[in-house]
């Protein structure tokens, strides 16, 4: 398999699938350029190697055909600004317009194609559409980890038209290496921190990581399904009553595998789900009626922090509480800072999943952990042990 580090890009037009599905404000200006910035090293590597770059991406969810608000022309200027050179735009991604633009492209230049999802064939994984895209480039590079779990024309189907000239970009390679470092080749002790609202959305991940970890910390709303299953009183805290038996089964499985499960021992509780609610701290299994747990308490923070600092490989997916509200952010913040301390002492830390990524950004510590994953759904499926179509297409 080709590597981006050693591949020869000289004289090649390299078709790169990027994830430029970025938010736009009311004036159609990019409001968060994180995903574009992530792709810049890949683009620069191809240009430095003497190649030309053809960028393709989707944006939003256009219903049927082209819609101006979803046109990639709106982000062309931002891409140009970040890469530090002009970016040409083709008002179509296949057909005569795209072919003419690619024909005029010289080595060292960049072309951005129009939104792939203006064609329903993209999401349908249409082979003929993928072949038309493939005809535009000499090499194919997938650098869109965020869509690697989708078997779309530009992420999985297209690779079959490049026998050898296909590879991962830096974003894809970095994501895969980071997750493999946690799940395939970790340094022990290994810790998974699972937070968030529901057990049901994390079952498959917990089951897949259990055989690979030494410790599992459980926080967030899903805590209360476990606490209730163990006979605790949880007041009006979030609970999935239909998952009580499953919670007990997971605890038994962990015990049988020798995995230490760490559940909160105390909670910051509130009399309503609101930023200005009345709050108090109580043991997690004696929450009064009408009160709900919205964050972990100080004893839990101390215990969790100690476990985190003792581990060499750390995976964090999901917050400890309603960190969006200042009154309930402390647990998530302190866990994040313990991960930073462990990382600075030499541990490897991977943060993934939308809420965890939002939390590290909110606390300004994204640069202080080992790796922050850009792929929400793709990361979760990869952690569940599902082979991602976008990854298999390049490796195959």
């Amino acid at each position: 398999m080709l590597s981006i580090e050693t591949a020869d890009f000289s004289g090649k037009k390299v078709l790169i699938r990027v994830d430029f599905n970025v938010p736009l404000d009311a004036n159609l200006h990019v409001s968060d350029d994180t995903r574009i910035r992530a792709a810049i090293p890949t683009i620069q590597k191809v240009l430095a190697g003497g190649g030309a770059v053809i960028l393709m991406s989707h944006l939003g969810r256009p219903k049927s055909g082209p819609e101006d608000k979803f046109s990639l022309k709106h982000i062309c200027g931002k891409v140009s600004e970040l890469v530090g050179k002009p970016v040409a735009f083709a008002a179509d991604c296949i057909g005569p317009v795209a072919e003419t633009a690619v024909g005029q492209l010289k080595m060292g230049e960049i072309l951005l194609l129009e939104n792939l999802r203006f064609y329903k064939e993209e999401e349908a994984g249409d082979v003929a559409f993928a072949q038309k895209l493939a005809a535009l480039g000499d090499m194919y590079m997938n650098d869109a980890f965020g869509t690697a779990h989708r078997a779309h024309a530009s992420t999985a189907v297209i690779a079959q038209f490049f026998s050898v000239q296909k590879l991962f970009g830096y974003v894809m390679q970095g994501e895969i290496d980071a997750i493999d470092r946690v799940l395939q080749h970790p340094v022990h002790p290994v810790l998974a921190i699972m937070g968030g609202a529901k057990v049901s959305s994390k079952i498959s991940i917990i089951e897949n990581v259990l055989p690979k970890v030494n410790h599992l910390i459980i926080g967030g709303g899903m805590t209360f399904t476990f606490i209730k299953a163990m006979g605790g009183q949880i007041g009006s805290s979030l609970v999935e009553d239909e998952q009580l038996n499953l919670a007990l089964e997971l605890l038994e499985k962990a015990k049988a595998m020798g995995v230490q499960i760490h559940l909160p021992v105390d909670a910051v509780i509130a009399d309503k789900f609101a930023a200005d609610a009345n709050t108090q701290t109580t043991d997690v299994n004696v929450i009064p009626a009408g009160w709900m747990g919205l964050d972990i308490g100080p004893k839990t923070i101390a215990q969790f922090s100690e476990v985190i600092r003792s581990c060499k490989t750390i995976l964090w997916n999901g917050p400890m509480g309603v960190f969006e509200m200042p009154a309930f952010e402390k647990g998530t913040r302190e866990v994040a800072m313990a991960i930073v301390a462990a990382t600075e002492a030499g541990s490897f830390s991977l943060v993934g999943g939308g809420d965890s990524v939002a939390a590290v950004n909110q606390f300004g510590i994204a640069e202080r952990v080992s790796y922050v994953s850009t792929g929400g759904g793709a990361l979760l499926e990869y952690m569940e042990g599902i082979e991602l179509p976008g990854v298999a297409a390049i490796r195959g």
Side-chain angles (χ1 to χ4, degrees):
M1 196 179 95
L2 285 184
S3 156
I4 184 170
E5 287 298 352
T6 55
D8 178 10
F9 300 118
S10 180
K12 304 264 178 49
K13 292 183 179 179
V14 185
L15 198 55
I16 308 178
R17 175 54 159 104
V18 287
D19 184 3
F20 286 175
N21 184 28
V22 295
L24 303 178
D25 63 21
N27 298 314
L28 300 177
H29 295 139
V30 177
S31 55
D32 181 351
D33 62 9
T34 308
R35 287 177 169 171
I36 301 174
R37 276 187 287 112
I40 299 301
T42 297
I43 295 168
Q44 288 174 332
K45 177 71 174 173
V46 173
L47 298 179
V53 169
I54 304 163
L55 300 169
M56 54 180 180
S57 178
H58 74 284
L59 177 65
R61 297 176 181 275
K63 292 283 181 287
S64 53
E67 285 180 65
D68 182 71
K69 67 177 177 180
F70 294 126
S71 174
L72 284 168
K73 71 184 179 192
H74 301 302
I75 70 164
C76 209
K78 177 55 76 173
V79 179
S80 176
E81 175 194 320
L82 291 172
V83 83
K85 63 187 302 167
V87 175
F89 178 71
D92 204 342
C93 58
I94 56 169
V97 171
E99 288 159 14
T100 300
V102 168
Q104 293 168 348
L105 192 66
K106 297 182 178 67
M107 293 305 125
E109 294 182 344
I110 306 168
L111 173 70
L112 174 63
L113 303 178
E114 183 55 286
N115 193 340
L116 296 162
R117 288 194 185 170
F118 284 172
Y119 290 88
K120 62 183 188 304
E121 290 88 343
E122 159 67 359
E123 290 182 89
D126 184 83
V127 176
F129 178 69
Q131 189 167 13
K132 286 174 188 169
L133 290 172
L136 300 173
D138 305 310
M139 297 177 86
Y140 168 69
M141 189 186 294
N142 192 345
D143 208 26
F145 185 75
T147 54
H149 58 313
R150 308 268 187 234
H152 292 169
S154 69
T155 58
V157 182
I158 189 173
Q160 66 190 276
F161 299 106
F162 297 86
S163 54
V164 183
Q165 301 287 339
K166 55 184 178 179
L167 65 166
F168 296 126
Y170 283 125
V171 175
M172 279 286 279
Q173 196 63 61
E175 294 275 355
I176 294 163
D177 289 349
I179 304 164
D180 285 350
R181 191 164 166 183
V182 171
L183 297 183
Q184 311 300 335
H185 327 286
V187 178
H188 291 268
V190 183
L191 162 67
I193 305 168
M194 292 287 160
K198 295 183 171 180
V199 185
S200 53
S201 63
K202 300 285 166 85
I203 296 165
S204 307
I205 298 171
I206 292 174
E207 289 183 330
N208 194 46
V209 302
L210 268 184
K212 298 166 174 139
V213 302
N214 307 101
H215 297 270
L216 175 63
I217 283 176
I218 290 172
M222 70 163 108
T223 298
F224 303 105
T225 299
F226 286 89
I227 299 300
K228 184 173 180 180
M230 294 159 72
Q233 294 165 15
I234 60 166
S236 56
S237 303
L238 185 71
V239 66
E240 291 179 283
D241 284 317
E242 67 282 7
Q243 304 292 351
L244 296 176
N245 287 336
L246 179 87
L248 292 176
E249 281 170 30
L250 287 173
L251 293 174
E252 283 301 315
K253 267 188 191 171
K255 195 174 172 184
M257 291 177 181
V259 177
Q260 274 190 273
I261 295 238
H262 306 271
L263 281 158
V265 291
D266 59 348
V268 176
I269 62 172
D271 58 357
K272 60 180 177 178
F273 187 84
D276 61 348
N278 295 308
T279 64
Q280 56 173 309
T281 302
T282 177
D283 286 350
V284 76
N285 54 0
V286 289
I287 297 174
W291 288 71
M292 62 185 78
L294 295 183
D295 195 11
I296 55 175
K299 290 182 197 162
T300 303
I301 288 172
Q303 288 183 15
F304 284 6
S305 297
E306 194 177 333
V307 175
I308 291 166
R309 284 195 292 266
S310 74
C311 290
K312 292 292 176 205
T313 305
I314 302 160
L315 168 67
W316 180 26
N317 174 249
M320 297 294 102
V322 188
F323 72 96
E324 299 88 347
M325 297 182 194
F328 313 108
E329 73 162 22
K330 190 175 182 192
T332 302
R333 179 189 288 276
E334 293 292 333
V335 160
M337 294 316 295
I339 294 171
V340 166
T343 308
E344 287 171 353
S347 300
F348 180 79
S349 53
L350 168 63
V351 178
D355 285 340
S356 305
V357 174
V360 297
N361 288 333
Q362 180 176 314
F363 305 144
I365 57 159
E367 303 298 318
R368 298 174 68 190
V369 296
S370 305
Y371 198 88
V372 179
S373 173
T374 57
L379 175 81
L380 299 184
E381 288 195 17
Y382 202 68
M383 289 195 316
E384 285 174 33
I386 297 168
E387 185 170 50
L388 307 182
V391 174
I394 301 288
R395 284 182 171 165

